[in-house]
Amino acid sequence: MQPKNTAARKKSFFSFLLLFALSTFIIVLLAFSSTRVPVKDNDILKEQVAALDREREFAKNFMSQMTAIGALLDTINTTAVSSADLIDDEISAGITKMNVIVDADSVQNKDLYSSIVLNISELQRAKKQLRKATEADTDINEVKRENELLSNQLEQCKIK
């Protein structure tokens, strides 16, 4: 004994099966994509952290070089230093090295670092001018002392 609506039953069953497969596919697709989104976000965040770590390392390296050059600039015009030209050459080499690493690296604040290097270079130039002015004052003082000594000797010769 066969049911009279066999075709309708088959059609309804296949419609149900298609709808079930479609809804299962959508649920699986949503579950898969929702697990993939955090993975992509995680990768993006890892890249950002790596970039910040590189920038922090660059800033640390730059700061150590800047501190070393600052220490040299502080000692260059003291009276205890006799080889100012040698220290001046070291400062120039450090400034050149800092310029190279600023130009080579892809940091965000390249203008800031370039301006710091420029300020250090201008400070070096000012220190040179100060050293020359101090040497000129020393020479003038020596000439004045020598002039006074010779004037005193001339006065003594006139008296005799």
Side-chain angles (χ1 to χ4, degrees), residues 2-15:
Q2 294 257 348
K4 292 182 181 180
N5 60 356
T6 307
R9 284 182 174 189
K10 282 184 182 180
K11 184 178 177 186
S12 294
F13 177 72
F14 285 124
S15 295

Side-chain angles (χ1 to χ4, degrees), residues 55-65:
E55 182 125 0
R56 187 179 307 125
E57 187 64 33
F58 174 81
K60 185 178 176 183
N61 183 21
F62 188 85
M63 184 65 180
S64 68
Q65 289 183 6

Side-chain angles (χ1 to χ4, degrees), residues 23-102:
S23 62
T24 304
F25 176 74
I26 289 173
I27 290 172
V28 169
L29 181 69
L30 287 175
F32 180 72
S33 66
S34 69
T35 59
R36 293 291 297 163
V37 168
V39 170
K40 288 182 182 178
D41 285 345
N42 195 17
D43 291 341
I44 291 171
L45 290 174
K46 282 182 182 178
E47 289 174 9
Q48 289 176 349
V49 166
L52 287 174
D53 285 343
R54 283 191 304 271
E55 182 125 0
R56 187 179 307 125
E57 187 64 33
F58 174 81
K60 185 178 176 183
N61 183 21
F62 188 85
M63 184 65 180
S64 68
Q65 289 183 6
M66 189 175 74
T67 304
I69 290 175
L72 288 174
L73 282 169
D74 286 343
T75 61
I76 196 165
N77 283 350
T78 59
T79 56
V81 175
S82 59
S83 58
D85 291 332
L86 179 65
I87 293 175
D88 205 34
D89 290 342
E90 286 181 39
I91 293 170
S92 296
I95 290 172
T96 304
K97 185 177 178 184
M98 288 172 69
N99 268 328
V100 167
I101 64 169
V102 166

Side-chain angles (χ1 to χ4, degrees), residues 16-27:
F16 167 76
L17 195 58
L18 178 67
L19 186 62
F20 179 74
L22 183 64
S23 62
T24 304
F25 176 74
I26 289 173
I27 290 172

